[in-house]
Amino acid sequence: MSIDVAVDSRPDDGVEASRFAAGEGLTPKQAAAAIFSRRLSALISESVVSTGDGATRSLTLYSLARHLELAYPDVAVSQSGLYRLIHGDAIPRLDLIIALGRVFDVPVEYFVTEDKSEQNRPQP
């Protein structure tokens, strides 16, 4: 089974998957979880998966976990582990950040830094 992940170039609809604010009043661990959560959620929501028959569909946590398992067998990750990361309930290991960077073709810094525009965005 082969999974090709591609980032959809359609504009974001403005809905944030993260439940955290932009970092004010958070501990360093909470801020790191919030940044990672926002970044990974954005990549997943923008991605589509090519199936074996040439069709495409939205990327799911299951398909991402399965792809990581096949491509990087030494990086332990599960669907529930990805769920906890997306919801800010866990901090990722460095090996997982590197593997995700390779899968989504982004630098690892993407997962641990915020855009200046995100920091200055007014909170609802």
Side-chain angles (χ1 to χ4, degrees):
M1 177 173 128
S2 174
I3 297 178
D4 295 320
V5 178
V7 177
D8 188 354
S9 61
R10 292 176 294 185
D12 186 39
D13 62 4
V15 177
E16 267 194 75
S18 175
R19 63 187 168 123
F20 291 109
E24 283 190 41
L26 298 177
T27 67
K29 185 175 181 176
Q30 291 170 325
I35 293 167
F36 184 85
S37 170
R38 271 195 302 277
R39 296 303 200 140
L40 182 57
S41 295
L43 286 172
I44 290 172
S45 69
E46 296 169 358
S47 298
V48 292
V49 175
S50 297
T51 59
D53 61 1
T56 59
R57 60 183 170 80
S58 297
L59 180 64
T60 64
L61 292 181
Y62 174 79
S63 59
L64 178 57
R66 182 77 176 129
H67 179 71
L68 286 165
E69 178 183 308
L70 294 172
Y72 304 100
D74 59 328
V75 177
V77 67
S78 65
Q79 180 180 352
S80 62
L82 290 172
Y83 179 88
R84 287 192 309 276
L85 290 169
I86 285 180
H87 288 87
D89 296 332
I91 302 292
R93 298 174 325 275
L94 183 57
D95 61 338
L96 180 57
I97 294 172
I98 292 169
L100 287 167
R102 289 177 181 169
V103 166
F104 289 107
D105 195 28
V106 296
V108 294
E109 294 84 3
Y110 174 84
F111 292 107
V112 296
T113 57
E114 283 189 299
D115 287 339
K116 298 298 180 196
S117 62
E118 286 181 3
Q119 293 173 349
N120 297 327
R121 185 182 324 158
Q123 296 303 310

